[in-house]
Amino acid sequence: MPVGQIEAAKSIGMSAWMRFRRVAFPLAIRQALPAYSNEIVLAIKGTSLASTIAVMDLTGHAKRLMNQNYAIIETFVIAGLLYLLINFTLLSVVHLIERWLKVRR
């Protein structure tokens, strides 16, 4: 955060909350959002790995379904497509937020 922007906000009499809301937060969120989208993908990948331990998520349900009907490839292809759809949707939302913040700049 450039110090000059904080000083400029102070010089026009903004309170600490107003400086945060109008100066600091918009700059910080614009810089942090692209890296945060990568963290979202890593978190989703982490849930699929956690299903092998104890947590029942999409991969765990796919394994259970595979044990019931023995359709191994079809079950995991559908699970993979669902993970792709979830990731694509979340990343599209983050991208739309990034574009909205860029336009408001």
Side-chain angles (χ1 to χ4, degrees):
M1 163 93 39
V3 177
Q5 291 185 356
I6 299 294
E7 289 176 358
K10 284 181 184 179
S11 69
I12 61 171
M14 284 189 179
S15 66
W17 172 248
M18 179 98 44
R19 282 192 312 266
F20 173 76
R21 194 172 54 113
R22 293 198 175 176
V23 179
F25 183 71
L27 288 172
I29 198 72
R30 282 187 196 117
Q31 291 176 356
L33 204 54
Y36 187 65
S37 65
N38 291 335
E39 291 297 322
I40 291 172
V41 172
L42 290 174
I44 292 173
K45 282 175 35 179
T47 61
S48 67
L49 294 175
S51 72
T52 60
I53 299 170
V55 180
M56 201 61 136
D57 74 330
L58 187 59
T59 307
H61 286 293
K63 285 180 184 177
R64 193 178 72 193
L65 188 62
M66 178 199 63
N67 289 333
Q68 290 175 354
N69 64 9
Y70 302 108
I72 299 169
I73 295 174
E74 295 87 355
T75 304
F76 281 110
V77 165
I78 291 172
L81 288 174
L82 285 174
Y83 272 120
L84 183 67
L85 179 69
I86 291 168
N87 278 326
F88 182 74
T89 303
L90 288 174
L91 290 177
S92 296
V93 168
V94 170
H95 181 68
L96 287 173
I97 293 170
E98 286 177 9
R99 285 181 51 199
W100 180 71
L101 287 172
K102 190 181 289 186
V103 169
R104 291 196 61 192
R105 188 192 250 180

